[in-house]
């Protein structure tokens, strides 16, 4: 017997509105009305402008800096729960604080776990997210987590470029698993083996790279660097320069989340990178950096929402 799906509505925080509208376009529904009231001291309040009673409510908001975005999500979850929503699903395209996923030195916080606790405590019943910095963050939640992979979208973009001498590169040893998965996806799309190289880098401190070397031969290759985050972009730019110096024909980068903090845009424009491609998990104005190309993850998220509503597996939508 087919179980009838519960009705659902999609709402967005201030940093999730553009992506949420694209998701709604794919779903063929209207973006829900929500209001954020701001006080002069910086405090804000959230209120739904339409009924959510008995609905499955999908709240689209990345928890990117500043912390106001996380607080918006928490207040939206709380408001939906108090308004008698049937289920509250937090759609977090970019899960912030994810780089703080372990205690790698004494007396530090594990921010990724703390944020997971806060989201659960606020009342979320489920989480949908894209390309976590570390897969094990899913285990920080005691509620279901649907972890989507941006490689599904980004690999299609790279394949469409039809590069004959394609090579994938990981910007560090820790990202080799991600780059290998990207090679596997490209192999399925092109029916060709795609070689991979790895960059070795040493970080003396956060957002700083003192040394980098390429482990592999990139001569004559069109190199695609695969990473999850473009923050200061120092690593990407340095890797691109080294690869071009070692004879690469071209270097571009594809990443899941474009944070682009500080002087990132200036670095990209002055770098050897042909282009930087990332998903629309975080709002970004491409006029700030003409080398940036954005591809949308909206269709994959929309299909995941439909699969949840219709009690279907999402595995076929999320083949890494």
């Amino acid at each position: 017997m087919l179980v009838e799906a519960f009705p659902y509505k999609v709402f967005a925080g201030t940093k999730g509105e553009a992506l949420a509208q694209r998701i709604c376009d794919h779903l063929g529904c209207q973006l829900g009305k929500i209001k954020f009231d701001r006080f002069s001291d910086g405090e804000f309040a959230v209120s739904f402008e339409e009924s959510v009673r008995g609905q499955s409510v999908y709240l689209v908001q990345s928890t990117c800096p500043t912390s106001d975005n996380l607080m918006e999500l928490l207040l939206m979850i709380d408001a939906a729960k108090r308004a008698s929503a049937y289920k509250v699903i937090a759609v977090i395209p970019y899960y912030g604080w994810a780089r703080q996923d372990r205690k790698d030195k004494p007396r530090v916080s594990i921010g990724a776990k703390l944020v997971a606790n806060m989201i659960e405590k606020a009342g979320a019943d489920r989480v949908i997210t894209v390309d976590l910095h570390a897969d094990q963050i899913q285990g920080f939640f005691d509620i279901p987590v649907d972890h989507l992979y941006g490689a599904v979208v980004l690999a299609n973009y790279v394949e469409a470029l039809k590069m004959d001498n394609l090579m994938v590169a990981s910007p560090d040893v820790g990202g080799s698993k991600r780059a290998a998965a990207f090679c596997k996806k490209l192999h399925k799309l092109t029916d060709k083996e795609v070689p991979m190289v790895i960059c070795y880098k040493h970080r003396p401190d956060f957002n700083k790279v003192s040394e980098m070397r390429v482990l592999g031969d990139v001569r004559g290759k069109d190199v695609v660097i695969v990473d999850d985050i473009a923050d200061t972009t120092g690593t990407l730019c340095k890797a691109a320069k080294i690869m071009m110096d070692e004879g690469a024909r071209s270097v571009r980068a594809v990443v899941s989340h474009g944070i682009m903090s500080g002087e990132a845009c200036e670095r990209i424009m002055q770098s050897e990178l042909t282009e930087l491609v990332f998903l629309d998990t975080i709002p970004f104005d491409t006029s700030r950096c003409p080398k940036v190309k954005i591809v949308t993850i909206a269709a994959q998220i929309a299909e995941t929402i439909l699969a949840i509503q219709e009690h279907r597996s999402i595995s076929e939508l999320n083949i890494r």
Side-chain angles (χ1 to χ4, degrees):
M1 179 179 177
L2 180 64
V3 178
E4 184 179 354
F6 282 88
Y8 65 92
K9 290 185 178 180
V10 179
F11 296 87
T14 54
K15 289 293 185 181
E17 190 171 354
L19 176 56
Q21 185 59 64
R22 296 185 193 106
I23 293 169
C24 287
D25 290 342
H26 282 279
L27 292 170
C29 68
Q30 294 291 321
L31 181 61
K33 296 178 182 178
I34 191 168
K35 185 178 180 183
F36 297 91
D37 290 308
R38 303 274 171 176
F39 300 98
S40 60
D41 64 350
E43 184 180 329
F44 53 88
V46 175
S47 59
F48 291 93
E49 299 295 286
E50 55 189 86
S51 175
V52 296
R53 184 178 296 273
Q55 307 270 322
S56 291
V57 177
Y58 293 83
L59 306 174
V60 183
Q61 175 77 326
S62 286
T63 57
C64 49
T66 65
S67 55
D68 279 3
N69 298 311
L70 171 59
M71 195 64 197
E72 274 189 17
L73 176 62
L74 297 175
L75 289 174
M76 286 193 294
I77 294 170
D78 184 68
K81 210 70 178 176
R82 294 178 187 277
S84 300
Y86 169 66
K87 293 287 185 182
V88 180
I89 300 93
V91 182
I92 312 173
Y94 171 68
Y95 185 83
W97 286 271
R99 286 173 284 187
Q100 301 176 47
D101 62 338
R102 64 193 182 280
K103 196 171 181 181
D104 55 357
K105 60 182 179 180
R107 298 175 296 280
V108 296
S109 64
I110 304 179
K113 171 59 175 169
L114 175 61
V115 170
N117 288 345
M118 294 167 71
I119 290 168
E120 281 193 52
K121 188 65 176 177
D125 297 292
R126 190 183 197 101
V127 167
I128 300 172
T129 190
V130 178
D131 279 344
L132 289 167
H133 185 64
D135 287 346
Q136 64 265 24
I137 292 173
Q138 297 172 78
F140 293 172
F141 290 90
D142 290 322
I143 56 176
V145 176
D146 294 308
H147 186 200
L148 309 183
Y149 296 109
V152 176
V153 176
L154 293 170
N156 285 332
Y157 176 84
V158 172
E159 189 275 332
L161 297 175
K162 305 297 181 185
M163 293 182 288
D164 294 328
N165 300 300
L166 180 61
M167 173 176 276
V168 169
S170 172
D172 52 38
V173 175
S176 58
K177 181 181 177 182
R178 182 182 299 106
F182 200 84
C183 286
K184 183 178 178 181
K185 179 64 177 175
L186 285 172
H187 177 56
K188 289 180 179 179
L189 291 173
T190 64
D191 200 29
K192 296 178 182 178
E193 291 289 345
V194 179
M196 184 180 84
V197 296
I198 298 173
C199 296
Y200 167 79
K201 66 181 180 182
H202 171 66
R203 286 188 184 273
D205 204 348
F206 290 120
N207 295 129
K208 294 181 181 178
V209 178
S210 62
E211 179 186 4
M212 179 176 285
R213 295 176 184 174
V214 179
L215 307 180
D217 186 5
V218 296
R219 284 175 294 181
K221 299 295 186 179
D222 293 304
V223 182
V224 176
I225 304 172
V226 179
D227 206 355
D228 64 327
I229 294 172
D231 188 357
T232 64
T233 69
T235 296
L236 294 177
C237 295
K238 192 165 188 174
K241 184 179 188 312
I242 292 172
M243 290 177 186
M244 290 299 289
D245 288 346
E246 293 193 6
R249 190 162 72 172
S250 69
V251 182
R252 54 178 35 85
V254 296
V255 303
S256 302
H257 312 293
I259 299 175
M260 303 297 283
S261 64
E263 298 178 354
C265 292
E266 289 77 7
R267 290 192 185 97
I268 292 297
M269 291 306 298
Q270 295 169 11
S271 74
E272 303 277 358
L273 285 168
T274 302
E275 62 179 352
L276 169 61
V277 185
F278 50 76
L279 303 173
D280 55 348
T281 56
I282 299 173
F284 182 79
D285 181 4
T286 54
S287 66
R288 291 173 51 201
C289 185
K291 281 190 178 183
V292 166
K293 168 76 175 180
I294 297 177
V295 293
T296 185
I297 193 75
Q300 194 176 353
I301 294 176
E303 288 297 323
T304 301
I305 290 173
L306 287 177
I308 292 170
Q309 288 300 119
E310 297 168 3
H311 313 290
R312 293 187 285 109
S313 170
I314 68 165
S315 296
E316 61 187 31
L317 308 172
N318 198 35
I319 299 173
R320 191 168 185 172

